[in-house]
Amino acid sequence: MTERTDVVELLKGQHTRIRELFDEVAARKGEERKQSFHDLVRLLAVHETAEEEVVHPYARKNIDGGELVVKDRIEEEEQAKRALSRLDDMDPDSPEFLDQFAALRQDVLAHAENEERYEFAHFHRTADRGRLETLARAVQAAEALAPTRPHPGTDTALKNVAVGPVAAVVDRTRDAVRKAMG
């Protein structure tokens, strides 16, 4: 991060990149689709982990109705993690993959809209620019250490701290092997 950004700008930028990756996966075939899908899975995994470790705890404590807002977002995230886990083992050119991918796309994009509307929209009213920039740095730090695959059931900061480091090592090793194998 060379210029200062706040957490809302950072996360909305990632939502834009997630939309682009969904488009890439849908438009490509074969190995290109597979690579775009793996890029999407990685971004979603680190993005959601950082939200669970930084963003959701902040929202719970600082926005009206925060507990309920976060509960709804976590339910959406868990559903997406389960779908991503199923899709990760499928042939990306199979009709079954394409059908399930289309459903995942719809769910994830609705989830991003819900986050922006019900969670992020309140952040500028509850924190000054400095605090929002600090939250952005915390999100980036969490992403740097996050697992790169979805792990259903790790939906809170505590669970991420308990499982995350081991999962991250396993995931990053798996990523390196996949890259080496082409």
Side-chain angles (χ1 to χ4, degrees):
M1 180 169 79
T2 54
E3 69 179 62
R4 299 182 104 148
T5 187
D6 77 32
V7 70
V8 175
E9 294 165 349
L10 174 68
L11 295 172
K12 283 184 172 183
Q14 290 179 353
H15 285 173
T16 297
R17 181 64 185 137
I18 288 165
R19 286 181 195 92
E20 292 168 354
L21 284 168
F22 270 112
D23 291 345
E24 285 179 24
V25 173
R28 294 180 174 167
K29 294 185 183 336
E31 285 304 311
E32 288 181 341
R33 175 178 284 158
K34 192 175 192 176
Q35 183 57 53
S36 292
F37 180 70
H38 286 298
D39 292 346
L40 174 65
V41 168
R42 186 183 200 307
L43 178 55
L44 286 170
V46 298
H47 175 84
E48 294 305 335
T49 297
E51 286 181 341
E52 290 160 1
E53 291 181 9
V54 178
V55 177
H56 296 331
Y58 178 83
R60 276 188 189 101
K61 293 177 187 169
N62 294 287
I63 66 173
D64 289 336
E67 273 301 329
L68 184 57
V69 169
V70 170
K71 179 184 173 285
D72 291 345
R73 299 302 71 78
I74 287 174
E75 287 174 8
E76 295 164 357
E77 290 165 6
E78 281 298 303
Q79 181 179 342
K81 285 179 185 181
R82 288 189 298 274
L84 281 169
S85 291
R86 286 190 305 273
L87 286 166
D88 200 30
D89 293 330
M90 295 177 138
D91 172 5
D93 287 323
S94 72
E96 184 181 16
F97 175 92
L98 296 173
D99 289 344
Q100 290 187 30
F101 179 78
L104 172 70
R105 180 183 192 165
Q106 183 176 350
D107 290 346
V108 169
L109 296 182
H111 168 72
E113 286 180 32
N114 289 337
E115 284 182 331
E116 291 177 14
R117 182 175 182 190
Y118 299 113
E119 199 169 6
F120 305 166
H122 300 281
F123 283 20
H124 287 110
R125 290 191 296 265
T126 62
D128 64 18
R129 178 80 184 175
R131 178 72 173 138
L132 296 174
E133 288 173 358
T134 299
L135 286 169
R137 288 190 298 276
V139 163
Q140 290 172 320
E143 288 176 343
L145 301 173
T148 61
R149 299 273 183 290
H151 295 276
T154 56
D155 56 1
T156 66
L158 183 60
K159 290 178 186 175
N160 278 316
V161 168
V163 176
V166 172
V169 170
V170 170
D171 289 351
R172 290 170 195 276
T173 301
R174 193 170 159 195
D175 292 345
V177 169
R178 273 190 179 167
K179 186 175 182 177
M181 300 295 288

